Amino acid sequence: MSKKIKLIWDFRGPVAAKTAAHHEIHLKEYIQLEKFAMNITGFDVIHEMHAIAFMVVEEANMIAVRDVLKPHRGEIYPENN
């Protein structure tokens, strides 16, 4: 089983939560467009001035997705999720 990578986009400021929620819509559109089998996306509010949007990709697809969508950072997605 290949590793899963969580690609993360950070948004800061008073509208960070709204921006992250909107960005997730575009991530879902990209997944449909590229016909990826994995469909894990989301957004989290860290605090009132910081929110993130994320998508999880297979390790084999990570570099191609990273080069196109330019996430701010990434981390290994836990296997138990």
Side-chain angles (χ1 to χ4, degrees), residues 7-9 11 20-33 36 39-43 52-56 65 69 71:
L7 301 176
I8 301 167
W9 291 262
F11 300 97
H22 182 78
H23 192 72
E24 182 191 13
I25 293 168
H26 293 295
L27 295 174
K28 288 180 179 188
E29 292 170 346
Y30 180 77
I31 288 170
Q32 287 180 338
L33 182 70
F36 287 136
N39 187 12
I40 302 172
T41 64
F43 75 94
I52 64 168
F54 65 88
M55 78 181 285
V56 178
V65 174
L69 299 182

Side-chain angles (χ1 to χ4, degrees), residues 8-77:
I8 301 167
W9 291 262
D10 291 287
F11 300 97
R12 298 182 189 277
V15 295
K18 287 184 179 182
T19 305
H22 182 78
H23 192 72
E24 182 191 13
I25 293 168
H26 293 295
L27 295 174
K28 288 180 179 188
E29 292 170 346
Y30 180 77
I31 288 170
Q32 287 180 338
L33 182 70
E34 296 297 320
K35 297 177 174 55
F36 287 136
M38 188 172 300
N39 187 12
I40 302 172
T41 64
F43 75 94
D44 290 320
V45 177
I46 309 303
H47 58 75
E48 65 184 36
M49 298 292 277
H50 182 203
I52 64 168
F54 65 88
M55 78 181 285
V56 178
V57 298
E58 295 287 342
E59 185 176 33
N61 297 329
M62 187 277 295
I63 291 177
V65 174
R66 179 201 68 191
D67 289 351
V68 171
L69 299 182
K70 301 189 181 352
H72 298 125
R73 56 195 170 102
E75 59 189 40
I76 295 175
Y77 190 69

